[in-house]
Amino acid sequence: MNYYGKAGLIFLGMMAIAATMQAQSGRLDSLSVVAPNAELKQVSSQFTFTEGPAVNKKGDIYFTDQPNDKIWRYDTNGELSLYMDKTGRSNGLYFDKKGNLISCADVKNELWSISPDKKITVLLTDFDSKKLNGPNDLWIDPKGNIYFTDPYYQRDYWERKKPDIDGQKVYYLPKGKQQPIIVDADLQQPNGIVGTPDGKHLYVADIRAGKTYKYDIAADGALTNRQLFVSQGSDGMTLDNQGNLYLSGKGVTVYSPAGEKLGTIPVPSRWVGNLCFGGKGRNVLFITATESVYTLPMRVKGVE
């Protein structure tokens, strides 16, 4: 999502988070996916609004502080450092197989590719000559094709006051192409997105509707067989190697592949924007939560 579009959601969630923290404090071990005796560690609280964590091949995690237009790195040795300034107001991030960091660059509503030497290539600027709402989150399938959500959250740094495109949609950008394809136009406000490592299924959260859907991915990239997975929306999401889905917002909620709620990881920040797995063994859950970032050792591993 975005700092400016989340203010209302954050405010409404503060009391619920406080209650959850009080009820579940010290119970992380009761969640089967969490490592024994694990504790949530606050890495830093120096940010304004953290988002879009992505993991590279080594297990280093890159994330955005979107209002401050920066990308940070948290490496496998636990070192935090500024990676890049002036990032196009990057929001969601994802690494491609070549090590390029693909970014939802919010300042001009584009998709960027940031090379390891920080060279910027603009992958996408519009849809049918109309400015996109604001690409928010993305996932890259095993063939290098990109799926991304395009909700509309009015930014105070935009000149426009309304969207150029009717509706808020999910798009598919085939590898090497310059125009995306609409793959679902029947959503209120799509936000978090992630796919399975075999490229067969996609999850998309409709945060305004409070729902998360699961799709089959056809050979041509189209989405078919949309099913309600859970009646909960999400800002960002990730999967582990057991197929469990992690949804963010008021803490982190974990669901089994069958949609059964396994439990909630309470996070002592106003809002959890996104999350991913990182570390040398991919067994550390990295959580971006408003002003802070956190880590939590896990029994399971990430697949992104």
Side-chain angles (χ1 to χ4, degrees):
M1 206 186 290
N2 176 273
Y3 173 76
Y4 305 98
K6 294 173 182 171
L9 288 172
I10 291 170
F11 178 78
L12 291 173
M14 289 178 69
M15 294 302 295
I17 293 171
T20 299
M21 287 296 298
Q22 184 176 11
Q24 298 195 13
S25 177
R27 291 175 52 194
L28 289 177
D29 286 60
S30 66
L31 194 56
S32 62
V33 294
V34 177
N37 303 313
E39 294 183 359
L40 190 71
K41 175 186 175 183
Q42 185 184 57
V43 175
S44 178
S45 61
Q46 64 182 288
F47 312 105
T48 300
F49 201 95
T50 54
E51 252 290 3
V55 60
N56 67 10
K57 291 180 180 180
K58 295 189 298 182
D60 303 323
I61 296 168
Y62 293 66
F63 65 96
T64 66
D65 185 6
Q66 197 195 26
N68 293 317
D69 201 12
K70 301 180 188 296
I71 295 175
W72 289 78
R73 175 171 56 205
Y74 181 73
D75 68 24
T76 56
N77 295 317
E79 296 295 325
L80 181 67
S81 60
L82 179 64
Y83 175 69
M84 187 175 176
D85 202 356
K86 306 302 179 185
T87 69
R89 298 264 187 173
S90 287
N91 195 344
L93 304 172
Y94 205 94
F95 277 96
D96 69 13
K97 289 184 177 180
K98 294 182 178 180
N100 300 307
L101 190 56
I102 310 304
S103 159
C104 295
D106 194 65
V107 71
K108 293 184 179 179
N109 317 109
E110 299 171 331
L111 288 183
W112 285 9
S113 175
I114 304 171
S115 70
D117 62 0
K118 303 178 187 177
K119 179 182 178 182
I120 296 168
T121 302
V122 178
L123 301 178
L124 182 64
T125 61
D126 60 73
F127 175 71
D128 285 346
S129 299
K130 295 180 180 179
K131 186 182 290 293
L132 290 160
N133 290 334
N136 186 283
D137 201 4
L138 75 154
W139 174 73
I140 303 176
D141 75 10
K143 297 178 181 178
N145 308 303
I146 300 172
Y147 291 85
F148 67 94
T149 56
D150 189 44
Y152 189 84
Y153 296 102
Q154 183 65 49
R155 318 304 200 215
D156 63 358
Y157 47 84
W158 286 348
E159 292 183 3
R160 64 172 173 163
K161 301 301 179 183
K162 62 180 182 179
D164 296 0
I165 297 172
D166 292 332
Q168 305 182 50
K169 306 174 177 69
V170 180
Y171 292 87
Y172 168 72
L173 181 64
K175 184 178 180 180
K177 300 296 183 180
Q178 296 182 332
Q179 277 293 292
I181 300 164
I182 297 171
V183 285
D184 194 345
D186 186 23
L187 296 163
Q188 293 184 39
Q189 200 162 41
N191 204 303
I193 188 170
V194 72
T196 55
D198 59 9
K200 293 182 178 180
H201 303 285
L202 187 75
Y203 295 90
V204 175
D206 187 340
I207 194 166
R208 182 179 293 176
K211 301 179 185 299
T212 296
Y213 296 100
K214 182 179 181 180
Y215 305 78
D216 295 337
I217 300 176
D220 63 357
L223 300 182
T224 63
N225 191 30
R226 184 174 99 165
Q227 300 179 45
L228 178 64
F229 183 69
V230 293
S231 293
Q232 179 180 333
S234 184
D235 197 342
M237 58 177 72
T238 194
L239 287 162
D240 67 25
N241 62 342
Q242 294 182 358
N244 300 309
L245 184 69
Y246 297 65
L247 304 184
S248 69
K250 301 171 186 177
V252 175
T253 309
V254 188
Y255 289 92
S256 75
E260 175 189 0
K261 184 176 178 179
L262 300 181
T264 299
I265 299 169
V267 178
S269 289
R270 293 171 293 164
W271 184 261
V272 175
N274 215 323
L275 67 170
C276 76
F277 284 84
K280 293 178 181 178
R282 288 293 200 283
N283 60 345
V284 175
L285 187 64
F286 186 87
I287 300 168
T288 59
T290 318
E291 78 296 331
S292 298
V293 290
Y294 298 87
T295 57
L296 181 65
M298 305 292 285
R299 293 179 186 268
V300 293
K301 297 182 179 182
V303 295
E304 296 184 64

